[in-house]
Amino acid sequence: MTDEQWVNLTAWLKLPPEARAPIENELDLYARVAANAGKAPSETRKKLERVAALADDLLKAIEEFGPEEHQALRSDQPAVVHLTQRPELAEAKAVELASFVGRPRATPRLDTFRSLAERHAQLSTLRDRMMTAAATIAKGKTGRDASNVRALVRGVSKAIEPYTGKPLGKGKPEFDFVRKLCKLADPEIREGSIKGAIEDLTTEELAPENSSNAG
């Protein structure tokens, strides 16, 4: 942190020079954690969705197979391992796939459809798992780990408490201080992450009070 940055930061919340080193330590810790945080959640989500889309395209292509494609996949080709755990579902899917080409229980042989049905079921499972996994990645993330932002604010709050006599709260000077602090750490940190960090901090402060009052 430069001298100018320190002056700008403490314009929001008056702190003695002794508080500078602990704050710089927390900023350095944030930077090191962020550097090792890996790719942005949005990138992870896009990759999962891409695989799901590819699986869906492949499923549609399989469902468009006609007699010629199924003839090429006749069961006299090398055997494959059957992975379906519920054979009755594979049988039903085989009949369904056979109906796509208008030749159910005719040539090509039904076991060709049964083998293809297993692959169809596996692809369906893969597609669904990719979509489910993608849905768990929160939308709107920019790659800045919200837990790292919370850790920064919590760490700085503890570091300055000996000088202020209290942890950071929701007051305007304190909120402006935290906003400036977070922008110092990373200009791309969003306002929602900053507010969330302060909310979490004040919630943690209330928890011990509530538990003592309960007793």
Side-chain angles (χ1 to χ4, degrees), residues 14 17-18 31 59 63 71 79 84 86-87 89 143 149 179 186-187 190 194 196 199 210:
K14 299 301 181 183
E18 293 79 11
L59 283 167
E63 291 168 1
Q71 183 68 25
T84 302
R86 298 181 62 184
L89 294 183
V149 177
R179 181 193 285 115
D186 184 349
R190 292 191 171 187
I194 298 172
E199 290 289 340
N210 292 338

Side-chain angles (χ1 to χ4, degrees), residues 48-95:
L48 291 168
E49 290 173 344
R50 174 62 177 156
V51 173
L54 289 171
D56 192 57
D57 288 344
L58 187 52
L59 283 167
K60 291 175 181 175
I62 290 174
E63 291 168 1
E64 291 173 359
F65 279 3
E68 294 78 11
E69 289 82 7
H70 289 93
Q71 183 68 25
L73 292 169
R74 286 175 52 155
S75 58
D76 55 4
Q77 292 186 6
V80 293
V81 178
H82 294 283
L83 300 177
T84 302
Q85 299 299 313
R86 298 181 62 184
E88 71 278 9
L89 294 183
E91 178 74 18
K93 197 66 182 178
V95 174

Side-chain angles (χ1 to χ4, degrees), residues 126-159:
L126 174 65
R127 177 196 59 195
D128 294 345
R129 291 193 67 174
M130 292 299 109
M131 289 304 297
T132 300
T136 66
I137 308 295
K139 296 186 182 297
K141 295 286 186 179
T142 63
R144 277 74 191 174
D145 185 355
S147 65
N148 195 17
V149 177
R150 291 194 297 269
L152 169 65
V153 174
R154 188 185 309 114
V156 169
S157 178
K158 291 179 180 178

Side-chain angles (χ1 to χ4, degrees), residues 112-127:
T112 301
F113 289 109
R114 187 177 298 112
S115 177
L116 189 58
E118 288 197 11
R119 304 301 169 268
H120 189 282
Q122 290 161 9
L123 276 170
S124 295
T125 299
L126 174 65
R127 177 196 59 195

